[in-house]
Amino acid sequence: MSDIEYCEILKKDQLNYVMSILGKCTENYVYMYDLDNDFYRISENALNTFDMPSCMFYNASEVLSSLAYPADVDMLNKDLEELKSGAKKEHSLQYRWVDKNGNFAWIHCAGIVIDNLEGCEGGHVLIGRIAKIGNKNTADNITGLFAESKLKQDIENNKAREDIEGGTVLRIGVDNFKGINERYGRSTGDDVLKTIADCIRIVCKEHKYYKILGDEFIILLKGEDGIMAKAIYQKIRTTMEEKIRETGYRVVYSISGGIVAFNYDDIDYEKVLHYSSFALNNAKLNGKNRTYLFKSEDYNDHLYKMDIRGILRKAINNDFEGFILHYQPLVDANTNKVIGAEALLRFNSEKTGFLSPTLIVPILEESGLIIPVGKWIFTTAMKQAVEWQKYIPDFKMSINLSYVQIRRSDVVGDIMAAIKEIGIRPETLQFEFTESGLIDIDASMERLMRIFGENGINMALDDFGTGYSSLSYLQELKVNVIKLDRSFVASSTESEKNFKLIKHICEMSQDIGMQICLEGIETDQELKRLSVLHPEYVQGYLYGKPIETMLFSSRYLSKETALA
Ligand code: C2E
Ligand code: MG
Ligand code: MG
């Protein structure tokens, strides 16, 4: 052995010695990767966790590839190629290794390429350390993205830094992900998430991104920049749509995005999560496949509605205390006499004051509370009708039904049971549906129409003229009465075309036996203008506002019920 050879061995041994000492001083692993000879050394402690031939081995790229989680191999090889070719001098990669037990271990491998290092065989050596960056909580196993705890850490770090003022979060969720899982199975659901994660990786190279909760992702941008976040959302969507096309539209899905732009001084991690969840939810409520930019007014409004919801829930449990029905006279257009009433919901409490149905009905619908409240409404109104039928035998009670009651409860069964119990004649009852909620006539609606038809219960289409009703839709709905909405009264003077269209629909409907009710008539002029529609019924402030039970009784159910 020559002196030179001896010296080289000595140096290598010293290097090994230094590495083994360093390995004992840290939970991390120290490594040297001779890129020219594909030779790798790593501190011995790595052998405790990972399946390696020894702490020194040739064929390093192959061994490292076999250690890496399969989905991360391409990413690793690409990086190593760049280091070997000299295109890159620094290495910093977060990816997964698989440990001896077959579990993931997230690692952060960082290093610097040193040229012509003494004591090493090759010219280019990558020297660095591998840190285990956590357990499964910091990363998502399906998509391989960082998980919520890493987002928390990054937000807290940014908040603590003086050189960072603002940030923006883009929270992405898959539209109707539950439906995808149910229809195609969970593994397809996982594939969808992986595809979206891939699109995010492609588009968001300059940003940080995370996979949170079941089907949601967060992208964290530097600076308060809602416009940029929206542009990123669009790019992710386009990339995703391209992938859907490539797979022959096997599974078609869309994503929504909630955007929150903020100053780190005004926000903490919990708020970021709350606000972005609210924003994503709003994007979905606004029709999905779109973004929504967080506005604090909307959020405060949401909090107010949550408060109201709590109060309404308590009131329901307290025997519907605070819920009131007002009644508006329903007038025969030919005789000008009150022939019935529409029951209209109100709520009053010390805490809230008087609340209108346009505020509370949507809250009750969203929460499903409209189901118990709706039941209370129709039983109360039916009992009242029986009372008033003592004065006007055919007194008609018109009751609003929500599509939530129809779709999510056995409202028909409940109504039939109430009719029987209260002993009201079914033909004196009318139920109103709004066209907006009932665009498709599903099985529950068909059942309702059949049972109502068999029992002679009347059906009215409410708010007609505000939606998209066609004649065939009206026929399908089998309604007895079409109620023309107040907004149509106003728009009929503005748009002659609209007026003519509705007029024709009314004429044709009347031809096939449907009746017309004009709603919201306030003035004689309005009545005159719309009298060409030959309505059977009229309703509106001109005849009487909705009022309390006692007042209604005293005003309309005395001996003379005629208005004129
Ligand atoms: P709707 O069923 O179309 O009720 C008619 C609305 O027009 C009522 O508003 C009534 O007070 C108002 N109105 C009647 N005549 C006039 C008029 O001449 N001028 C003006 N400007 N307005 C008039 P309200 O009571 O605030 O109810 C609003 C909506 O809330 C109702 O529209 C209905 O969709 C819903 N709603 C009310 N009560 C109930 C209920 O018991 N159940 C359900 N599901 N929805 C209800
Ligand atoms: Mg109505
Ligand atoms: Mg109406």
Side-chain angles (χ1 to χ4, degrees), residues 342 344 400 432 462 483 519:
E342 176 173 359
L344 293 156
N400 294 284
E432 302 186 8
D462 207 354
K483 296 189 80 170
E519 260 199 297

Side-chain angles (χ1 to χ4, degrees), residues 324-326 328 342-346 356-359 361-362 365 370 373-374 377-378 399-403 405 432 434 462-463 483 485-486 519-523 526 539-546:
I324 316 151
L325 285 186
H326 277 190
Q328 183 174 35
E342 176 173 359
L344 293 156
L345 183 68
R346 272 97 183 93
S356 91
T358 43
L359 172 73
V361 170
E365 286 183 336
I370 193 71
V373 175
I377 293 168
F378 63 70
I399 301 162
N400 294 284
L401 268 196
S402 157
Y403 63 96
Q405 290 172 271
E432 302 186 8
T434 56
D462 207 354
D463 299 350
K483 296 189 80 170
D485 188 67
R486 152 129 199 102
E519 260 199 297
I521 300 288
E522 290 183 1
T523 62
E526 284 170 354
Q539 214 180 321
Y541 294 171
L542 182 64
Y543 304 93
K545 289 189 173 180

Side-chain angles (χ1 to χ4, degrees), residues 174-175 180 184 188 191-193 195-196 198-199 236-255 289:
V174 188
D175 295 330
I180 296 171
Y184 301 100
T188 304
D191 288 344
V192 167
L193 295 178
T195 307
I196 296 170
D198 286 345
C199 298
I236 294 170
R237 214 175 89 173
T238 316
T239 316
M240 186 190 86
E241 283 164 0
E242 183 60 35
K243 285 187 187 280
I244 293 174
R245 198 167 32 245
E246 278 167 14
T247 53
Y249 300 99
R250 198 175 65 81
V251 189
V252 179
Y253 48 90
S254 59
I255 49 170
N289 200 24

Side-chain angles (χ1 to χ4, degrees), residues 23 35 42 46 66 78 139 144 189 211 236 287 290 340 343 346 373 382 418 426 437 558 560:
L35 296 165
I42 187 161
S66 71
K78 188 170 166 279
K211 162 80 174 28
I236 294 170
R290 66 192 63 213
R346 272 97 183 93
V373 175
M382 280 185 203
S558 51
E560 331 82 56

